[in-house]
Amino acid sequence: MENLDLFVLRTLLDWRRAGKATLLATVMRTWGSSPRPVGSIMALCEGGAVVGSVSGGCIEDDLIHRYRDALQDGPPRKVKYGVSADEAHRFGLPCGGTLELLLEFNPDAATLDELVQRLSAGRMAQRSTEIATGRVVLTDIEQPEALREHEGWLHNAFGPEYRLLMIGAGQLTEYLATMALFSGFSVTVCDPREEYRGAWQVPGVTLSHEMPDDLVRGFRADRRTAIVALTHDPKLDDLALLEALETEAFYIGAIGSRRNQALRHARLIEHFDQTEEGLARLRGPIGIYIGSKTPAEIAVSVMAELLAVKNGVPLPRDLAVGEAKDRLEIDPNEPVACFVRETD
């Protein structure tokens, strides 16, 4: 599953190319609680087809009711939902929530095509809409920017897909890859061990047989990239992690107990001239402590931490690694998890 914004824009482009009347809705402002963040988009096609979302569903239903058979050319329009408590309840908004949308009618196909091409090529772009006329200007940007309205223009930044690179093609990786795909990540799995690659069963994932450190070096990891080492084999994990630490990846982590993480730090410091300060970005043990006992549960734990970091949610390290000293560890030679009790 590709990045949701890109999926919405690509679908909207297909509708416009087919000559269908459409509407693009953007969450431009919220007050109080809101089910979707500022910048979220949805597209509506004549007949009522919808992709994306701006609420939990009720506002989408109202937009379909109002516009499915009345889409026509015209300047953008601002609409508000949830201004009163009754409306908030009617439209399924949390208590006190208010939402303002910008509705754009029949966006230009050529500009949409250019935006989709930029995002598909891994570039970031800002889409600026002149609210009075609907004119759209695209600008390349180097880093994510918050949506803003300024001097009659609405500026919304779009980025390429988030990427997840995992080292090791074991059972835990399959669960984590599945969750990442449904969360909108482009997933690459690297494992030079043929016996692990041969058993891989998750479609939609790029599977590589390169040595992990070589792949990381050529992966061009940026601030929308996460890199996770899952093999428990220092020959595969350590060198890849060293390369990852040279990138801007927003999340770098490795599976294993606290003891194994301490041993890894000691190896990297002794043999590769690393420092504790230089290893500060290396997360481990990865995952939010939820008492995980199976590969599927561990994957939930890891994915939760990864998404929290991606979304900028404060995550104290003591909560990320768990307060208990019973830590979960995966034996690379076994398909199931086992507990490892750590001692002081």
Side-chain angles (χ1 to χ4, degrees), residues 101-133:
L101 307 178
L102 182 70
L103 307 182
E104 299 176 58
F105 301 94
N106 298 321
D108 176 62
T111 308
L112 281 172
D113 186 26
E114 183 179 350
L115 177 58
V116 167
Q117 287 188 39
R118 293 189 190 193
L119 300 180
S120 299
R123 296 157 60 189
M124 301 195 71
Q126 180 174 267
R127 183 177 185 270
S128 301
T129 303
E130 189 175 31
I131 297 173
T133 66

Side-chain angles (χ1 to χ4, degrees), residues 24-29 38-41 76-78 100-104 126-132 135-137 146-158:
L24 175 64
T26 303
V27 179
M28 62 182 300
R29 192 174 289 108
V38 168
S40 298
I41 61 174
R77 183 180 308 168
K78 293 181 181 180
E100 184 174 23
L101 307 178
L102 182 70
L103 307 182
E104 299 176 58
Q126 180 174 267
R127 183 177 185 270
S128 301
T129 303
E130 189 175 31
I131 297 173
R135 183 166 65 96
V136 172
V137 175
L147 178 141
R148 61 191 176 93
E149 182 182 0
H150 181 67
E151 296 183 349
W153 289 77
L154 183 69
H155 306 281
N156 197 8
F158 294 93

Side-chain angles (χ1 to χ4, degrees), residues 52-257:
S53 66
V54 292
S55 77
C58 295
I59 290 178
E60 287 83 351
D61 290 344
D62 186 70
L63 290 173
I64 293 170
H65 174 73
R66 290 174 182 271
Y67 295 107
R68 61 178 294 172
D69 298 320
L71 289 170
Q72 56 188 2
D73 290 322
R77 183 180 308 168
K78 293 181 181 180
V79 296
K80 285 185 180 179
Y81 287 92
V83 174
S84 68
D86 288 343
E87 286 180 312
H89 177 74
R90 174 188 170 197
F91 292 113
L93 292 173
C95 183
T98 301
L99 201 64
E100 184 174 23
L101 307 178
L102 182 70
L103 307 182
E104 299 176 58
F105 301 94
N106 298 321
D108 176 62
T111 308
L112 281 172
D113 186 26
E114 183 179 350
L115 177 58
V116 167
Q117 287 188 39
R118 293 189 190 193
L119 300 180
S120 299
R123 296 157 60 189
M124 301 195 71
Q126 180 174 267
R127 183 177 185 270
S128 301
T129 303
E130 189 175 31
I131 297 173
T133 66
R135 183 166 65 96
V136 172
V137 175
L138 301 180
T139 307
D140 282 328
I141 55 178
E142 296 298 325
Q143 60 186 22
E145 298 180 7
L147 178 141
R148 61 191 176 93
E149 182 182 0
H150 181 67
E151 296 183 349
W153 289 77
L154 183 69
H155 306 281
N156 197 8
F158 294 93
E161 294 174 304
Y162 276 87
R163 298 184 296 163
L164 173 60
L165 170 59
M166 290 183 284
I167 312 303
Q171 187 179 26
L172 171 59
T173 309
E174 291 192 357
Y175 286 115
L176 192 54
T178 301
M179 294 178 189
L181 289 170
F182 278 102
S183 298
F185 284 77
S186 170
V187 179
T188 298
V189 172
C190 177
D191 201 323
R193 303 169 298 181
E194 184 177 354
E195 62 273 21
Y196 281 86
R197 296 197 314 276
W200 184 259
Q201 299 182 30
V202 181
V205 172
T206 299
L207 195 59
S208 170
H209 65 272
E210 291 184 67
M211 289 301 294
D213 55 320
D214 291 335
L215 180 60
V216 173
R217 194 178 301 117
F219 201 68
R220 296 195 302 171
D222 55 20
R223 287 179 239 181
R224 300 173 76 86
T225 304
I227 300 174
V228 182
L230 300 170
T231 73
H232 276 289
D233 185 343
K235 298 189 302 295
L236 299 177
D237 289 348
D238 287 5
L239 294 178
L241 292 170
L242 282 172
E243 293 292 340
L245 290 169
E246 296 295 320
T247 74
E248 294 185 324
F250 75 89
Y251 184 100
I252 302 169
I255 197 73
S257 67

